[in-house]
Amino acid sequence: GTISNATVLSMDWLPTLLSVAGIENQDKFDGQNISGVLFNNDEPIERPVFWRYRNQLVARKGNWKYIKAAENEYLFNLKNDLAEKNNLIGTNDKKTAELKVLLQTWEAEMNTYKQQTN
């Protein structure tokens, strides 16, 4: 009967279900255990999340979302603009730079793995 604004990814389910089942695991997962958010109303741990979709690279941290699509860049404050209608590129250079660095770091890490999809 509660609603959470926590950012949850599909990769969070495996570590969460293992924890709920009481299974100890030493493997490192990309996802995080969100059982505290689900059952104890804990505040979620803020983390940046990243994804690729077709020709887009995306970084999201908190309410901010940065998109790089071909030569175009977009910055949205999802708290004020959930529909992503107002591109804020050029209005918040500090946030843009922060998200770009996070995205570049993630991309460099991802490029060390063999590509599995087309």
Side-chain angles (χ1 to χ4, degrees):
T2 61
I3 296 173
S4 172
N5 290 322
T7 300
V8 176
L9 304 171
S10 59
M11 67 181 87
D12 294 332
W13 289 112
L14 179 58
T16 301
L17 293 172
L18 289 173
S19 174
V20 170
I23 299 171
E24 300 227 3
N25 186 14
Q26 301 303 316
D27 292 326
K28 181 180 180 256
F29 297 111
D30 288 335
Q32 65 184 12
N33 176 1
I34 59 166
S35 61
V37 175
L38 294 173
F39 302 116
N40 302 327
N41 292 322
D42 291 349
E43 287 294 317
I45 298 170
E46 185 174 309
R47 62 184 164 166
V49 295
F50 311 94
W51 64 94
R52 298 171 178 156
Y53 178 72
R54 297 189 180 168
N55 70 336
Q56 298 179 358
L57 300 172
V58 183
R60 179 175 174 193
K61 183 177 179 190
N63 291 318
W64 292 94
K65 182 177 178 182
Y66 170 79
I67 303 171
K68 173 79 171 142
E71 299 302 316
N72 300 310
E73 295 180 290
Y74 304 89
L75 179 69
F76 300 105
N77 182 332
L78 301 177
K79 181 177 181 180
N80 303 324
D81 182 20
L82 193 57
E84 300 178 10
K85 292 187 178 199
N86 300 304
N87 185 3
L88 299 175
I89 280 292
T91 66
N92 192 328
D93 293 339
K94 184 177 178 182
K95 186 55 72 176
T96 301
E98 174 190 357
L99 291 172
K100 284 174 84 169
V101 166
L102 289 172
L103 183 60
Q104 289 167 352
T105 302
W106 178 76
E107 273 289 292
E109 180 184 348
M110 291 301 102
N111 286 335
T112 65
Y113 299 105
K114 182 179 177 187
Q115 184 75 13
Q116 298 292 320
T117 59
N118 295 330

